Amino acid sequence: MHKTINEEREEVTSLHDLSATDLIAGYRAKQFTPSEVLEEVIEHVAAWEPHIKALYLFDPEGARAAAKASTDRWQRGEPAGTLDGIPVTIKDNIATKGQPIPLGAASVKLIPAEKDAPPAARLRESGAIIFSKTTMPDYGMLSSGLSSFHPLTRNPWDLSKNPGGSSSGAGAAGAAGYGPLHLGTDIGGSVRLPACWCGLVALKPSFGRVPVDPPYVGRVAGPMTRTVDDAALMMCVLSKPDRRDGMSLPADSSIHWKTLDKSPRKVRIGLMLDAGTGQALESDVRSVAVKAAKAFESAGAVVTEVDGILTREMLDGIDNFFRARMWDDLSKLSPEERGKALPYIHTWAEAGARLSGVDVIRGFNATMAIRAAAAKLFHDLDYVISPVSPVVNFPAEFAAPINDPDKPFEHIAYTVPWNMSENPAISINGGYDSKGFPIGVQIIGRRFDDLGVLGMAKAFEGLRGPQRPWPSPPKK
């Protein structure tokens, strides 16, 4: 009995599981169309979404119209741009025209955005099919899928575990196979942590590399994908200039995002197994980071162990600064509106009201101290390898691994320094624990060396060994 074309496809790789680079090649060769790909993604979403709750404003009909237009363009041989016909999700807090921006919080008024934010605009211009937005926790201030506005988002690898955050829906959607490209934001680890816990690749670009609106200290937007090549493909689009971001970097035509060939030979790498403060490192995470360093060493890199750059004073200072910033937002709301926010967030932010102006300035000045420490660290190093998270995983219902608003940032000691110092950093899966749960490795580069960080991650893809299959939807 002969197999149908669809059965043969399923045996190889389902369309929803193909990388963006493979989809583009398939469109060009007329092997399949954007409409066919989207239908598979929609079908896959239907199987997974009741279990993981990753999406917000899912719009299959609007996406079908966009996919039909893309299919017509490809049939004419006239694609609109780099990502024409590729399904994409965008995080709740990145404005898309005509849609509200709840910031994951029931306390936020639902006002439709007047226009696309820069990253959304670049994706749309490139022909990407934005079929849904994704969930996030309240105000993006948790590394969790817990939200007062969205349903609880769960991790596809283990539904009892947290996907991380604040790009929680993006992480869950990527692991579940909701197409290849997902856009998140990161101010302390918010693309890298969910990527770590969901087995993805996520780049936190150099500050200003991807224009955003509104910009803020340490805040970036970045790709969350299954492959390094797809992250680079997204950066081709996301890094284009937008004058709305007065903190963005000038366009750099010397960066060829698709040129990722980089040999680790003679590259100077620091292995950072102790962040300097924060939550204790679990043994499985340590083992994966050490294994990654040894893989680079076997490929000719010069690896030396280095100390972390974060101090207790720095981490507490950042905590104070962001508590005060969050309370400034909440204090403008009525008591009734404030009461709609997650109690964890309210309790954490309310402490900001008791800080003095000097306390808050000292907190902000911690970011300057981190910048100085990072610059000193990279004086004799090209890259640093570290864990992303100190823990393998934590319960889906928790706001954070420790789940204590008095100790909110203990788990971001490996990630937040690079937001404050503006260095590019990427999370990539490095291995698994004994139960098959993914564990991420972080590669950090010098400021502005985004391409080098991607190149090192690409090299690691070839060094790390075979990966486990992606999780399948629970059976009915």
Side-chain angles (χ1 to χ4, degrees):
M1 181 177 175
H2 292 292
K3 294 176 182 175
T4 67
I5 292 175
N6 284 339
E7 285 173 334
E8 287 179 352
R9 272 186 194 157
E10 188 67 33
E11 279 193 7
V12 181
T13 303
S14 299
L15 292 179
H16 64 77
D17 273 335
L18 287 178
S19 68
T21 54
D22 285 343
L23 288 178
I24 292 295
Y27 296 157
R28 188 172 289 118
K30 294 184 167 52
Q31 294 175 323
F32 43 77
T33 68
S35 291
E36 291 175 310
V37 171
L38 180 68
E39 289 305 320
E40 279 211 15
V41 169
I42 290 172
E43 183 179 347
H44 202 59
V45 167
W48 262 118
E49 190 60 10
H51 306 283
I52 62 173
K53 307 290 185 185
L55 300 185
Y56 167 60
L57 297 179
F58 178 43
D59 180 20
E61 292 311 311
R64 284 184 172 114
K68 174 62 167 62
S70 176
T71 295
D72 292 344
R73 289 192 296 270
W74 276 106
Q75 286 176 345
R76 296 194 306 267
E78 298 173 353
T82 304
L83 301 179
D84 201 348
I86 306 298
V88 175
T89 71
I90 293 181
K91 189 177 177 180
D92 158 343
N93 65 340
I94 299 171
T96 44
K97 185 178 179 179
Q99 296 178 322
I101 314 165
L103 304 178
S107 50
V108 172
K109 293 178 181 178
L110 299 181
I111 300 171
E114 293 184 4
K115 58 179 66 175
D116 287 341
R122 298 296 86 76
L123 290 170
R124 208 183 297 277
E125 291 162 4
S126 75
I129 299 169
I130 302 170
F131 69 92
S132 186
K133 301 195 80 172
T134 50
T135 61
M136 63 182 283
D138 290 45
Y139 300 95
M141 292 309 300
L142 296 177
S143 297
S144 173
L146 186 64
S147 163
S148 63
F149 180 83
H150 301 295
L152 178 66
T153 303
R154 296 179 179 272
N155 194 313
W157 289 91
D158 181 339
L159 297 178
S160 72
K161 302 303 181 185
N162 211 294
S166 63
S167 304
S168 48
Y178 290 13
L181 304 183
H182 307 275
L183 178 65
T185 62
D186 190 314
I187 203 169
S190 289
V191 299
R192 288 160 292 159
L193 287 163
C196 166
W197 290 315
C198 292
L200 301 175
V201 172
L203 175 67
K204 183 210 78 68
S206 296
F207 182 75
R209 180 70 70 201
V210 173
V212 296
D213 182 31
Y216 197 74
V217 175
R219 181 172 182 254
V220 302
M224 300 176 68
T225 63
R226 288 183 170 186
T227 69
V228 176
D229 282 337
D230 276 3
L233 188 67
M234 278 188 88
M235 287 300 293
C236 293
V237 172
L238 297 173
S239 61
K240 292 180 179 179
D242 193 300
R243 292 183 179 178
R244 286 176 285 175
D245 185 351
M247 302 172 80
S248 61
L249 298 173
D252 189 344
S253 60
S254 69
I255 300 177
H256 301 290
W257 293 105
K258 297 178 186 178
T259 308
L260 299 181
D261 295 332
K262 188 177 182 69
S263 170
R265 184 170 172 76
K266 296 186 178 180
V267 170
R268 300 168 300 175
I269 296 176
L271 173 60
M272 183 183 290
L273 296 173
D274 183 347
T277 190
Q279 203 165 350
L281 187 63
E282 293 182 356
S283 60
D284 282 349
V285 180
R286 179 188 174 90
S287 296
V288 166
V290 169
K291 183 180 177 183
K294 287 181 177 177
F296 276 111
E297 195 168 43
S298 69
V302 180
V303 179
T304 54
E305 195 162 337
V306 296
D307 294 330
I309 63 171
L310 205 63
T311 65
R312 184 78 254 170
E313 184 179 18
M314 290 172 179
L315 190 60
D316 289 345
I318 294 171
D319 183 11
N320 284 341
F321 174 64
F322 279 101
R323 283 180 196 253
R325 173 181 178 254
M326 188 73 259
W327 186 249
D328 177 47
D329 289 339
L330 291 179
S331 67
K332 296 170 185 175
L333 304 177
S334 69
E336 182 182 0
E337 289 170 328
R338 276 200 302 275
K340 295 178 180 178
L342 275 178
Y344 181 105
I345 287 290
H346 189 281
T347 300
W348 169 71
E350 194 173 28
R354 299 189 290 273
L355 296 169
S356 70
V358 172
D359 290 333
V360 178
I361 286 295
R362 283 175 179 160
F364 179 77
N365 284 344
T367 68
M368 298 295 106
I370 291 170
R371 287 175 73 103
K376 183 178 179 181
L377 176 70
F378 278 94
H379 182 75
D380 295 316
L381 294 173
D382 301 306
Y383 300 96
V384 169
I385 290 173
S386 83
V388 183
S389 157
V391 301
V392 174
N393 54 41
F394 64 104
E397 296 79 10
F398 279 19
I402 293 180
N403 206 33
D404 181 352
D406 289 332
K407 300 177 181 178
F409 288 175
E410 301 304 298
H411 63 288
I412 66 172
Y414 288 99
T415 53
V416 72
W418 318 116
N419 294 80
M420 302 301 109
S421 67
E422 306 186 3
N423 295 62
I426 196 166
S427 174
I428 182 169
N429 189 51
Y432 305 86
D433 74 353
S434 60
K435 296 180 180 179
F437 198 89
I439 298 172
V441 170
Q442 184 173 218
I443 303 171
I444 308 110
R446 292 177 173 177
R447 286 178 72 208
F448 315 131
D449 187 22
D450 304 67
L451 188 62
V453 165
L454 284 164
M456 290 295 286
K458 177 69 173 176
F460 183 62
E461 278 185 327
L463 295 170
R464 67 183 175 182
Q467 298 291 281
R468 292 175 183 253
W470 292 96
S472 299
K475 294 180 181 179
K476 294 181 181 179

